[in-house]
Structures are given as C-alpha cells and as structure tokens.
Amino acid sequence: MRARLLVIALFLVGLLAVGLGVPLALSDARSAQQELFTDRLTDTIFFASIAQRPITEANATGLEGELARYEQVYGVAVTVLGRDGQLIASSRDIPPVLDDDGQERVRLALANRRSEPYPFVMPWDPRPVVLAEPVLVDGEVRGAAVTVSPTDALRAEELRAWSTVAAAALLALALGVVVALPVVRWILRPVHRLDEGTGRVAAAVLAGGAAEPVSDGSGPPELRRLSASFDRMADTVTQALAAQRAFVADASHQLRNPLTALRLRLSNLDGHVDAAAAEDHLAALEEAERLSAVLDGLLALARAEWAAAGGTVDVDTAVEDRLEAWRPLAEHLGVRLIRGGARGLKASAPDGGIETVLDAVLDNAVKFTPAGGSITVATLPGQDRIEISVRDTGPGMAGEDLERATDRFWRAPDQSNVEGSGLGLAIAARTAELAGGALRLELPAGGGLRVVVRLPVPAPPAADDVP
C-alpha cells in the first residue's frame, strides 16, 4: 500500500509539474520564435527597400556587397530576385536552395503579398526560416527580397528550456518523495499495526490470553478511531472465546461425571426391573451410551477447534501408532489392516492432529467394513503436500452424499441404525483444515470408500538456522 500511495502522490506532483512547466516552456519558445520572425521580417523589408534602385538600374554591385556583409555578421543568407524569379543579387556565390515552403513564400511575395508568421518550430525540425518581401517600384512589384535564417540557435534555446522544465519536474518528484514518504508512513503506521494485530489476536486466542493492543495514538484521526475500535473488538472476541473454552472445559467435567453415574445406576438396575419395564430399561441404557458418545464427539471437536499451531510431525510414527491401536478390534471383526505407500515422510500438523484424524477415519472404516474385508492406510509424498489415504472395502456411499459426509451430526439415510454420533468425519475435516490441509472423500473403482487427508510439508529451515 505504501508504494501505491507514493505512486498517487508522485502522479499528482508530476501533473502539477507538467501543468506548470509545459506552458512555461511553450510560452518561452513562442516568444523566442516571434522575436526571430520580427527581426528577420524587419531586415527583409529593409533589403526590399534598398533593392529598388539596383533592380531599376540593373546594377547590383553595391547591393551584393551589402548582402555579403550582412551574412558575415548575422549568418543569414539573403537573395534578391527579379520579377520573373531570376537572380539579381546574393550574399553568397551559390544561393541557398529553397524547399517547397520557401518557394511558395517567394511566389506570394512576387504576387505582392507579405510573409505570414511561421508555425511553431519544433526542436527536431532543422528547416530554416524563409521570409520573402516584394520589391516595389512606384507601387509595382519588380522583384522580391528573400532571407534564409538557420534555426540552430533557436532550437538550442528551446532544448535548454525543455531540459530546464524536465530537470525541474524531476526535482519536484524527488522533493515529492522526500515529503510524501514520511507522510505515507505516518498514515500507514496504524494500518500496519492493524495487520499485525490480526495475527496477534489469532495467536492470543489459541494461547488463551489477551491480545496486545494495536492502537498507539499515532496516525490520522480516522485510523486512530479504527484502531481503538479494533482493540475493543479484539477484547470482546478473546473474552467470548475464553468463555467458550471455559464452558467446554466445565462441560467436560460437569456433564461426564453425572452421565457416568447415570450409566452405573442404570446398569445396577439390571435384574431388578419388572419384566414390563425391561424394554424401557434397555432403551435407557442405549440412550445413555449414545449420549456419552455424543459428548465425547463434541469434546473431541472442541479440542480440534482449539488445537495448537502446527509443528513438524513424523507421519510414520503417527500412522503405526494408530494402526496398532485399532488392530485388535479389526482382527476381532475379521478385518485386515494394511500399511502401504512411502515411508520417512514429515508433515506440518498440530500435536496429535494426525492421530485424531486417523482415529475418526479408522473408526468409520472398521465400523462399515464387513468381515473378510480390508482397510489400507497409505502415505504418498507430494511437492508441497503429503497425502494419507484410508481406503476400506465397505459399502461406500452415494456420490451425492460425499460433500455432506463431513457435516456435523450428518448420517447417511441408510445408516441411521448404525452406532455413532455423526461427528467423526467432521472432526477429521476440521483438524486437517486447521493444520492448513484438507480432507476429501472418494469412491474408488472396486467399491468401498477412500478418505484422503492432505497436509502441508514443513517449510525448509532458513539459511540462518542451518548450522
């Protein structure tokens, strides 16, 4: 943003410099050109007046000497032409060659018309200024006096004027940078602190502390008010999230103990319930078990939401640990657990994040894979991501249900009678998302379901960190 503000400020300074300098340079150039035109026109009229007698007497000896001395002093070629355009006298042995514009001016002079002012002479135009005036004898045109003035000095003066304007514009831009840079820094200081403050708020939320204020009383009044509002908002957010975290912690203790006591009391009633109430007693036990599973899922989801920032995790260790933990149950159900893919991979994830994801995904896979089936856990490397896939040989799910499967409490219509809270894949997806990765579900060829978790690869150490 600093660069953009500087560009805007310099653009305005440049417009001001151009708006003032260009008209000044044009005015100076026109004034110099008008002065040249007036001087040469006066001299041309003078030569037209002194050429009357030489043309009448047909003797141009004295006139040629006058013309030669004039060119020696001023560097301007002068010629006198007769009525039919024949050369009468010239300041040099070989008279200058006129271009089309010069010849047209001579033709107009022989027609008794005065020379018109020249259009604006550009610095890159090397053509001379040609003026022609009629030589009148008793009111009759008897010839024309022609001056051919080089424009080298005029164009050099114009170049000096334009160079001065360009130098002044560059100086104005440099002064604009010197003046605008501290102003831009003063304006953007609150913006930079706000940008840094958002990261500090996120870190404070994860750490459970208060965010450092971003307002330091500097900057424009509008941004100071915005910084103060941001501080109030950050305090409110951190307090609300701290209260939410405290509620989750309290709920985990306050709800779990009464629920455990309720399950024990219901279990102790086994054998002491009338036959008519036995079915209700069994349903109460099942609902208590279901409530306990839902509470465990909610607490796991809350812990995933408050997971610490990611670090470098050994993927092999996490995968092997969870496979060993789930292997007894899988073997009891007649399901084979298979480890595949590459080894020696590292991932960026919170502590216990990969284990949380695998627990949720393997729970579903073991639950829905029939006896004799298999579950394959494979790890694959990538350029900036590693993949952990869990593929089962169960019934899979409908294609239209893949996107909804990670919603909280969502259950497939044909699996409503299967035990579970509907939070497993939601916990896995949220954990992967907080680690900077993603979770997707696929229907592989041959049936079943494949859950793929993509996690970022740890950034290489900085050069300063390498011993």
Side-chain angles (χ1 to χ4, degrees):
M1 182 177 291
R2 178 187 303 175
R4 289 192 290 271
L5 288 178
L6 280 177
V7 168
I8 293 173
L10 295 182
F11 177 74
L12 295 177
V13 172
L15 284 181
L16 180 62
V18 171
L20 295 177
V22 171
L24 179 62
L26 290 175
S27 175
D28 182 75
R30 287 194 177 96
S31 176
Q33 184 172 328
Q34 183 63 32
E35 182 179 356
L36 173 66
F37 176 79
T38 302
D39 291 344
R40 294 298 175 266
L41 181 62
T42 301
D43 295 342
T44 306
I45 294 174
F46 169 75
F47 289 123
S49 65
I50 67 174
Q52 293 176 355
R53 178 175 293 181
I55 289 178
T56 304
E57 297 176 355
N59 183 7
T61 303
L63 179 61
E64 287 184 344
E66 185 73 20
L67 300 182
R69 284 192 298 272
Y70 179 82
E71 182 174 3
Q72 288 176 358
V73 174
Y74 296 103
V76 179
V78 185
T79 58
V80 177
L81 304 177
R83 182 185 302 172
D84 298 330
Q86 71 277 16
L87 180 65
I88 302 297
S90 176
S91 62
R92 59 180 66 170
D93 296 335
I94 300 176
V97 178
L98 303 180
D99 57 11
D100 293 340
D101 182 71
Q103 293 177 5
E104 178 63 19
R105 287 178 176 270
V106 171
R107 187 185 66 79
L108 293 176
L110 293 175
N112 197 17
R113 294 179 59 181
R114 309 295 296 271
S115 288
E116 297 291 335
Y118 253 77
F120 187 71
V121 177
M122 296 298 178
W124 54 84
D125 188 357
R127 294 180 299 173
V129 173
V130 179
L131 297 180
E133 288 294 318
V135 178
L136 300 177
V137 178
D138 296 332
E140 180 184 358
V141 178
R142 300 292 297 274
V146 182
T147 58
V148 181
S149 306
T151 58
D152 296 343
L154 177 65
R155 291 185 290 114
E157 182 64 27
E158 290 184 9
L159 284 175
R160 283 193 294 271
W162 285 110
S163 299
T164 302
V165 170
L170 292 176
L171 179 60
L173 290 177
L175 291 176
V177 171
V178 172
V179 173
L181 190 58
V183 175
V184 169
R185 287 176 177 170
W186 175 71
I187 293 174
L188 292 182
R189 187 178 295 113
V191 178
H192 290 159
R193 289 185 62 84
L194 283 172
D195 184 38
E196 296 171 356
T198 55
R200 291 198 296 267
V201 168
V205 167
L206 290 177
E212 179 184 349
V214 300
S215 177
D216 61 353
S218 64
E222 297 83 358
L223 292 179
R224 290 202 299 269
R225 290 194 295 269
L226 178 61
S227 298
S229 299
F230 180 86
D231 287 338
R232 291 194 296 270
M233 179 203 68
D235 289 339
T236 302
V237 170
T238 52
Q239 290 174 10
L241 292 177
Q244 181 182 356
R245 174 178 288 181
F247 171 77
V248 171
D250 292 341
S252 64
H253 291 86
Q254 300 300 326
L255 294 179
R256 186 179 296 277
N257 292 336
L259 182 58
T260 302
L262 177 62
R263 292 170 58 191
L264 289 174
R265 290 178 181 275
L266 289 173
S267 299
N268 291 335
L269 290 176
D270 190 18
H272 302 282
V273 178
D274 293 339
E279 186 176 349
D280 292 334
H281 175 250
L282 181 59
L285 280 173
E286 292 176 351
E287 288 299 323
E289 293 290 343
R290 180 175 176 276
L291 182 58
S292 178
V294 170
L295 178 59
D296 290 340
L298 288 174
L299 293 177
L301 186 59
R303 286 192 295 271
E305 294 284 354
W306 297 104
T312 301
V313 178
D314 187 339
V315 177
D316 290 343
T317 301
V319 171
E320 294 294 343
D321 177 71
R322 300 330 296 158
L323 284 178
E324 290 302 318
W326 284 90
R327 196 177 303 279
L329 177 61
E331 292 177 350
H332 175 74
L333 298 175
V335 176
R336 291 182 299 118
L337 291 182
I338 303 173
R339 171 73 163 93
R343 305 298 179 100
L345 302 179
K346 304 289 184 180
S348 178
D351 291 338
I354 294 179
E355 290 86 343
T356 300
V357 172
L358 288 176
D359 281 339
V361 177
L362 287 173
D363 180 40
N364 273 358
V366 171
K367 190 184 301 179
F368 294 107
T369 301
S374 63
I375 300 172
T376 302
V377 180
T379 51
L380 299 175
Q383 183 175 4
D384 58 349
R385 292 285 190 274
I386 65 105
E387 288 189 356
I388 305 174
S389 65
V390 179
R391 192 265 173 90
D392 62 54
T393 56
M397 63 175 60
E400 59 271 16
D401 293 337
L402 292 179
E403 293 185 0
R404 299 186 56 197
T406 54
D407 293 345
R408 299 179 183 182
F409 299 107
W410 184 86
R411 306 287 296 277
D414 57 347
Q415 298 172 356
S416 58
N417 60 339
V418 180
E419 294 183 1
S421 61
L423 290 171
L425 291 180
I427 294 172
R430 184 56 179 163
T431 303
E433 181 183 348
L434 291 173
L439 180 144
R440 72 175 184 271
L441 278 65
E442 300 175 351
L443 298 177
L449 179 69
R450 179 189 290 120
V451 180
V452 180
V453 181
R454 301 188 69 201
L455 296 173
V457 173
D464 295 340
D465 298 335
V466 178

